Amino acid sequence: FQKQVCDDIGRRLTVLGDAWAQGKLSAPVRKRMTLLVQELQQQHWDAADEIHRSLMVDYVNEVSQWLVGVKRLIAETRSLPAAETDGSAEADPGQENP
């Protein structure tokens, strides 16, 4: 990841985390995001993309501030070599994991 891309993803995911913690997300959005995270953990990129698209179509007003970060996270993670996405690779020192 380039630093600027990571920073942008991080900012957007912070907005998501804050909204989640403050109870500002509807139950359907929370449920779909939970499913999206599970798909990412299993490296099911197409399924994660599909959930992302459904969120953007069905809940655009609720998700527009942070869903672009999720889309970029999916795209960037998909492009990493497999060894870096299976949890066996260590993060660079001083580099936050998005």
Side-chain angles (χ1 to χ4, degrees), residues 46-72:
D46 292 338
D49 253 343
E50 187 59 37
I51 295 168
H52 162 269
R53 273 192 293 280
S54 74
L55 281 164
M56 189 54 103
V57 169
D58 297 340
Y59 301 96
V60 66
N61 292 332
E62 191 174 349
V63 304
S64 61
Q65 288 187 318
W66 48 265
L67 199 60
V68 172
V70 173
K71 180 176 180 58
R72 292 184 85 177

Side-chain angles (χ1 to χ4, degrees), residues 37-49:
V37 168
Q38 291 170 354
E39 297 296 356
L40 286 177
Q41 289 172 334
Q42 296 172 32
Q43 299 181 20
H44 297 159
W45 315 123
D46 292 338
D49 253 343

Side-chain angles (χ1 to χ4, degrees), residues 1-17 40 65-77 96-98:
F1 290 58
Q2 297 174 346
K3 180 170 177 20
Q4 183 177 359
V5 172
C6 285
D7 290 348
D8 181 62
I9 292 170
R11 278 190 300 275
R12 293 177 187 274
L13 293 181
T14 297
V15 172
L16 165 59
L40 286 177
Q65 288 187 318
W66 48 265
L67 199 60
V68 172
V70 173
K71 180 176 180 58
R72 292 184 85 177
L73 179 65
I74 294 167
E76 293 295 330
T77 306
E96 285 187 33
N97 291 333

